[in-house]
Amino acid sequence: MTNPGPIGERELQLIRLYANCQLELSPQSFYAKWDVTYEQIGEICSRSPTTVQRPFKRASNYRSPKRCDLHHLALMDFLLEHFEKIPPQLFDLLFPHL
């Protein structure tokens, strides 16, 4: 294991940008934009298909999606939109086991 390098101003700025990122997409918007199933949305957000279906059914045990769910869907939307533009080297860093 190597010792991590010091956090400089550039890294601190990147941390601030990421921490304040407002990138969000609702399950309803994602579902309307992409031909996906509840199971696939659940897989993206690490949720069960039943949990994903609740907002669509307005079930009595409805729970609003968490901010991390909205963030996951927005990131997935970005990846789907820009998949062909991702350089192979960056793709391999993001998804090393594929």
Side-chain angles (χ1 to χ4, degrees):
M1 186 171 173
T2 62
N3 288 333
I7 296 289
E9 189 55 41
R10 185 183 104 194
E11 292 81 9
L12 288 172
Q13 180 63 24
L14 184 57
I15 290 169
R16 285 185 208 107
L17 287 170
Y18 183 82
N20 293 302
C21 179
Q22 298 297 315
L23 192 62
E24 295 180 350
L25 188 65
S26 72
Q28 293 87 347
S29 296
F30 191 89
Y31 189 74
K33 184 173 181 179
W34 300 101
D35 186 21
V36 295
T37 64
Y38 295 132
E39 289 81 9
Q40 291 164 328
I41 290 178
E43 186 175 4
I44 293 165
C45 299
S46 297
R47 305 281 180 223
S48 73
T50 304
T51 299
V52 174
Q53 289 176 6
R54 287 179 187 149
F56 294 94
K57 292 182 177 181
R58 292 289 178 197
S60 59
N61 55 353
Y62 170 74
R63 175 186 59 81
S64 294
K66 294 184 178 186
R67 187 170 181 223
C68 64
D69 299 330
L70 305 177
H71 190 72
H72 281 300
L73 291 174
L75 285 173
M76 189 72 243
D77 178 59
F78 179 86
L79 290 170
L80 289 168
E81 286 278 344
H82 302 285
F83 179 75
E84 284 82 19
K85 298 174 193 170
I86 301 172
Q89 300 86 350
L90 180 57
F91 190 88
D92 291 343
L93 288 172
L94 290 170
F95 309 105
H97 301 292
L98 296 181

